């Protein structure tokens, strides 16, 4: 009897050990975003929040990292430093096709699309006292075109070249992160900056609410550029979101979409779980940031140029979003 009790205690303890170790098997994934005053950072947080709620069910723990932006994220996902990244749709296209920053390295064949998220606009914020109302006024000015890891840098170069401004010769180009640009603009150390970002964003609120008066400069005469690159589309900055901005109407520009990407090497069940939690709880997800106001489940499948990851595809087929 005593012996029997002893055995069952030992068996019970062994069983408990098994359960604990099964629970302890957590898969950690990191999502690369952007500066903390952008929209990628809260977006990474929103996605992580959806899947972390089901940690017991999936054994996945997602964390978010602030990074230099799209180009950094593609490269970090490709070399395995990050499992996921938020990346501009144009950068996804360029990476999978070996263009722009990937011209020398070649096509990033393992890049996989998961879904797209909010629209982003090429946002040109300029000091009123610098006399900049349109991109064509940037000649001779001190302008932050963006850090090399960012998505906006190539957008700024494309837009400047489209209006005949050589970013190397015709202006003083700075290469700082978007999170630092509002402070530099307010301190009078730059005249303007480019940021490809969703609205509203913390960085643009910061830039438009200081003592130095600023406005959104228009980015016009882009028809040829838009015709040349299918990933660019006309858009406008919703100035009502920024009461401090010296604009009386929405500023015309062009934009892209934020997308969520991963690597072919990330297991199907991890990508499936994240996709399922975001889409099954779509209404809750949509409330997590005002930049998501126009999202629909169908629109979240637009703007993807890399192959869709099989884990995500499994969900889209189950949900009838893809036949
Ligand atoms: N579009 C920017 C980039 O690719 C980031 C914008 C954001 O963080 O919201 O670098």
């Amino acid at each position: 009897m005593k012996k029997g009790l002893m055995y069952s205690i030992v068996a019970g303890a062994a069983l408990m050990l098994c359960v604990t170790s099964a629970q302890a098997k957590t898969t950690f994934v990191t999502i690369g975003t952007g500066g903390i005053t952008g929209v990628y950072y809260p977006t990474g947080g929103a996605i992580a929040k959806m899947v972390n709620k089901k940690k017991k069910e999936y054994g996945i723990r997602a964390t978010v990292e602030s990074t230099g932006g799209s180009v950094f994220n593609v490269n970090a996902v490709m070399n395995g430093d990050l499992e996921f990244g938020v990346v501009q749709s144009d950068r996804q296209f360029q990476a999978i096709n070996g263009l722009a920053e990937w011209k020398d390295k070649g096509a990033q064949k393992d890049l996989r699309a998961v879904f797209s998220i909010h629209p982003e606009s090429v946002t040109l914020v300029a000091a009123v006292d610098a006399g900049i109302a349109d991109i064509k006024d940037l000649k001779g000015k001190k302008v932050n075109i963006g850090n090399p890891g960012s998505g906006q840098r190539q957008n700024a170069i494309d837009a400047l070249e489209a209006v005949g401004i050589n970013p190397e010769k015709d202006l003083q180009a700075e290469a700082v992160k978007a999170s630092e640009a509002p402070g530099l603009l307010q301190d009078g150390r730059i005249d303007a900056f480019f940021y490809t970002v969703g609205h509203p964003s913390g960085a643009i609120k910061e830039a438009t609410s200081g003592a130095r008066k600023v406005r959104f400069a228009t980015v016009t005469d882009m028809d040829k550029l838009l015709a040349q690159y299918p990933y660019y589309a006309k858009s406008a900055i919703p100035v009502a979101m920024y009461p401090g901005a010296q604009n009386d109407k929405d500023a015309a520009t062009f934009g892209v979409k934020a997308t969520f990407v991963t690597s072919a090497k990330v297991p199907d069940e991890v990508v499936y779980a994240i996709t399922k939690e975001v889409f099954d709880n779509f209404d809750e997800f949509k409330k997590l940031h005002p930049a998501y106001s126009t999202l629909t489940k169908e629109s979240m499948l637009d703007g993807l140029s890399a192959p869709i990851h099989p884990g995500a595809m499994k969900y889209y087929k189950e949900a009838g979003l893809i036949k």
Side-chain angles (χ1 to χ4, degrees), residues 150-161:
S150 74
Q152 54 268 7
R153 190 175 172 88
Q154 189 63 44
N155 303 146
I157 294 170
D158 285 349
L160 288 165
E161 287 176 345

Side-chain angles (χ1 to χ4, degrees), residues 34-35 38-41 68-70 88 118 120 149-152 195-198:
V39 182
Y40 285 9
Y41 188 74
S70 285
Q88 287 177 202
H118 57 279
E120 300 188 87
S150 74
Q152 54 268 7
Y195 193 13
T196 304
V197 69

Side-chain angles (χ1 to χ4, degrees), residues 33-43 67-73 86-88 90-91 118 120-121 147 149-153 155 178 195-198 201 256-258:
T33 61
I36 59 166
T37 49
V39 182
Y40 285 9
Y41 188 74
T43 291
T67 73
S70 285
V71 174
F72 178 95
N73 294 341
V86 188
V87 165
Q88 287 177 202
D90 53 324
R91 302 328 221 124
H118 57 279
E120 300 188 87
S121 291
N147 57 298
S150 74
Q152 54 268 7
R153 190 175 172 88
N155 303 146
Y195 193 13
T196 304
V197 69
S201 90
V256 292
K257 262 183 144 192

